[in-house]
Amino acid sequence: MHTKVICPGSFDPVTLGHIDIITRASKMFDCVVVGVLNNLAKSPMFTTAERIALLEKATQGLPNVEIVGFDGLLADYAREQGITAIVKGLRAVSDFEYEFQQALTNKKLNPELETVFLTSNSEFMYLSSSMVKQVASLGGDISSFVPECVHDEILNRLK
C-alpha cells in the first residue's frame, strides 16, 4: 500500500524540531507532503513562497518529501490529494488538547483521514517558531534551533 501523509504547519520559520518530525515521518511513510499554510492568527515573518523555499532547502536530502503551499481546509486538501493521514508533532501536554481537537474536527470533515502524533525529540521539546523569532530578534544565537541552511536568511530578515 502506498501511504501518502501530510505534515501541515506555518513553518515560520522552519526549526530543527520541524525537520526532526518530517525526517522521522519520511522513514515511516512512502510520501510525506509538507503543507505550508497561513495561520490567520499570526503575522508571518516570511511569505508562503519563501517558507516553501526554506523548507525545500532544509529537506533536500529527503527524496520522499514534497513541499507544497495550500489554502482552505486541511481535510479537503487531503481528500483531493489522496492523503490518508496527518502527521503532527507533540512537544508537550499543552499541545495535545489543541491537536486532539484539530484531529477530531478533521476526522469529522473527512472520515477517511487519520491523525498520527509523533512525540517531539526531547532535544526540541521547548522549541517553537515563535521562540526562534523572539531569540533572534533580541540578538540571541539561534544556530542550535534552526537548520544551518536557513539560519542566515532568518537573521537577514530581522535586519
Side-chain angles (χ1 to χ4, degrees):
M1 173 194 278
H2 179 77
T3 54
K4 185 176 183 181
V5 301
I6 188 164
C7 288
S10 55
F11 305 102
D12 186 46
V14 59
T15 70
L16 290 174
H18 294 132
I19 298 303
D20 176 58
I21 296 295
I22 294 165
T23 300
R24 289 167 49 207
S26 76
K27 294 174 184 174
M28 298 169 64
F29 302 103
D30 297 318
C31 178
V32 177
V33 176
V34 178
V36 180
L37 49 112
N38 284 314
N39 184 334
L40 300 176
K42 297 180 181 179
S43 298
M45 173 186 278
F46 294 99
T47 67
T48 300
E50 289 169 331
R51 287 180 274 149
I52 289 169
L54 293 174
L55 277 158
E56 286 173 343
K57 276 187 194 181
T59 61
Q60 66 184 353
L62 303 172
N64 62 331
V65 171
E66 169 188 355
I67 314 298
V68 301
F70 74 94
D71 291 314
L73 292 172
L74 177 58
D76 291 342
Y77 182 80
R79 182 183 299 108
E80 292 163 9
Q81 299 299 315
I83 292 169
T84 58
I86 301 165
V87 174
K88 294 292 291 188
L90 293 178
R91 292 174 294 203
V93 174
S94 58
D95 286 346
F96 181 75
E97 186 175 354
Y98 175 78
E99 294 299 347
F100 186 67
Q101 186 178 29
Q102 291 294 312
L104 292 174
T105 302
N106 284 318
K107 186 74 169 168
K108 184 72 171 176
L109 294 171
N110 180 348
E112 302 301 313
L113 189 60
E114 299 295 338
T115 299
V116 176
F117 295 114
L118 296 179
T119 55
S120 186
N121 182 318
S122 62
E123 182 181 356
F124 306 119
M125 288 187 87
Y126 65 90
L127 190 55
S128 68
S129 294
S130 298
M131 184 63 65
V132 168
K133 287 188 273 194
Q134 183 177 12
V135 170
S137 68
L138 295 171
D141 180 11
I142 60 168
S143 61
S144 63
F145 302 156
V146 299
E148 185 178 337
C149 62
V150 302
H151 178 271
D152 290 346
E153 295 193 46
I154 295 167
L155 295 182
N156 289 337
R157 182 54 51 102
L158 292 169
K159 289 182 180 178

